[in-house]
Amino acid sequence: MVSKFIQMSATDISRLISSKQVSVYEVVSTHIEQANRINSKLNAIIVPHYELALKKAREFDKIKTVDFTKRPFFGVPFTVKESISVQGFPNTYGSYYRRTDIATNNATSVQRLLNAGAIIIGQTNLSELALWPECNNVLYGKTSNPHNIKYTSGGSSGGDAAIVGIGGVPFALGTDGGGSVRIPAAHCGVFGHKPSSRFVPMSGHFPLDKYYSHCSSSQFIARYFSMGLLCRKAEDLLPLLKVISGPDGNDLNVNSCFEHHQMLSSIKGLKVYLLEDKFYPLLKQTSPEIIQNLRNVAFELEKEGAEIIPCNLPFLNDACDLWFDIMSNAKDITLDSFINNNHSIVIEVLRMISGRKRIMPSSLLLLLLDKVSSKNKKSYDQFWKVKNRLTVQINSYLNKKSILLLPTFPTTAIKHNRSYLSPFDFLYAAIFNVLELPATSVPVSISKNNLPISIQIVGAHGCDHIPISIACYLEKLFGGWTLPSQIN
């Protein structure tokens, strides 16, 4: 029984604990053993909480009566992206300029998961300041893919994806500002969900952190960023989403005007808009393997009664441009202040040349791009004019009876440092941040070079249950997450 824990869903583990078939200590210690055994090869957990987690597990086992309706994940281990506040622990974002930061409180989503009974076993690595689709930073170094350590785990929530991918935890809490949950989930072969905007508070993470929450632009940016979930089993996505969602009084974007729906009972009659081609000139063309798997998924959905509609959505080009305008419309929050405390770019370059870098080349590239593109950025009024038009256009396709099926990323995982060769490929996922839509990355196959192949399912706003329902169906059909046979 113990050896099976690392392949079970959080929901199934909770059932075993509630029925007294296993102890919390058995569950937590087994996952810590698995994480610790492989973590040195991956560098996924960078702040272990092992001793505290085991202590908490022993305490939990002494509790005689537990209300599992209020604590549905009692005794279930998980990890948290290091940029999300965990009280009393590092909260550096992998940045040299925040290297001494310790969180003074728990992020809302962290506290809600703790209240639900889950136990943190560690904090995980990320790209510097959660700004790049590769997991590497100057403080903690890089995180490797559990299927092949020569490849990246993806970013920015790459540590979460890698540790879930090797069975170290059944689920992890990450963030997604431009694909940062879905891209690493796709690279590591696990499920990743970005919720609809205005569902889950960003409190305890940029821009609603101790540095920027007082800024007038913080609520505007927070609307397009999201806490997100990475799971080895799709069935955990919806119940975990229910735990972390809802207003907290700090993220003013989140109000009570939303509801959680039940899983779909049937796919019959569902419209599936199939998008294979790139929709932005700077994107890499989708690889043949990804396209074939999109078609395989579409074929299986069609067999279940869904209507497959190949499409080309040229207005998504404007959504790509609009994503870059989010930060430019934050008048009192700039990339300069966020990345390097407004230090000179020239000095940062000189430090990098001399081998004393304080920021990653990816962050330097973002600063340079921000300077170059500043003259072409939209005003606040122009932003909302385009945003409202795009909302109308995408809503003409997506509703309670339709989804969009497309790549999460144009290829499987890439080798370390190769993201610089094609830096805009994250936009396959990022456009749904600015469009505010729920999106789920689903593992469906393994490539010829033994890397996970994933696809992305997007639903209408507020209909998170639809892409999650399809993810559960595809998991049964294609197998979903599989434990890597070896670390190459």
Side-chain angles (χ1 to χ4, degrees), residues 188-371:
C188 295
V190 302
F191 294 89
H193 182 72
K194 182 202 83 68
S196 297
S197 70
R198 294 166 280 152
F199 259 45
V200 182
M202 279 300 292
S203 309
H205 190 280
F206 175 84
L208 301 182
D209 60 4
K210 66 180 181 181
Y211 289 103
Y212 295 104
S213 59
H214 67 281
C215 296
S216 61
S217 301
S218 62
Q219 297 288 338
F220 169 77
I221 298 174
R223 178 169 178 160
Y224 305 104
F225 282 52
S226 180
M227 295 288 177
L229 297 161
L230 300 96
C231 301
R232 62 189 179 206
K233 299 292 184 179
E235 71 168 320
D236 291 332
L237 290 171
L238 199 57
L240 284 167
L241 179 59
K242 290 179 179 179
V243 168
I244 65 174
S245 61
D248 69 347
N250 294 316
D251 187 337
L252 303 181
N253 296 292
V254 184
N255 55 49
S256 57
C257 298
F258 69 91
E259 58 180 317
H260 291 293
H261 301 274
Q262 297 297 317
M263 300 281 279
L264 292 180
S265 58
S266 173
I267 297 173
K268 188 175 181 179
L270 186 74
K271 289 186 177 180
V272 179
Y273 292 97
L274 175 60
L275 179 60
E276 297 179 358
D277 299 326
K278 69 175 188 177
F279 42 79
Y280 193 63
L282 296 177
L283 292 176
K284 185 186 295 179
Q285 192 68 44
T286 310
S287 72
E289 275 190 302
I290 302 290
I291 290 176
Q292 185 57 56
N293 277 273
L294 284 170
R295 292 174 181 174
N296 293 345
V297 168
F299 177 75
E300 294 298 335
L301 294 176
E302 188 173 40
K303 287 201 304 185
E304 291 296 313
E307 179 185 1
I308 308 301
I309 308 170
C311 66
N312 181 16
L313 307 179
F315 61 85
L316 293 181
N317 180 87
D318 295 333
C320 293
D321 289 333
L322 199 66
W323 185 88
F324 289 104
D325 291 319
I326 293 173
M327 283 295 291
S328 67
N329 275 281
K331 297 179 181 178
D332 50 357
I333 301 176
T334 66
L335 269 180
D336 283 317
S337 65
F338 183 49
I339 291 176
N340 68 338
N341 290 347
N342 294 308
H343 286 78
S344 166
I345 293 180
V346 174
I347 291 177
E348 296 290 5
V349 171
L350 292 174
R351 286 189 181 123
M352 201 168 289
I353 293 172
S354 65
R356 297 180 292 110
K357 67 182 179 187
R358 292 186 175 181
I359 64 174
M360 293 294 293
S362 56
S363 297
L364 179 61
L365 177 60
L366 290 172
L367 287 173
L368 294 173
L369 287 173
D370 186 60
K371 300 296 182 185

Side-chain angles (χ1 to χ4, degrees), residues 49-64:
H49 292 208
Y50 299 156
E51 292 304 317
L52 282 173
L54 291 171
K55 180 182 178 182
K56 179 67 70 175
R58 293 188 189 97
E59 292 172 355
F60 275 22
D61 281 330
K62 294 178 182 178
I63 299 174
K64 294 183 178 180

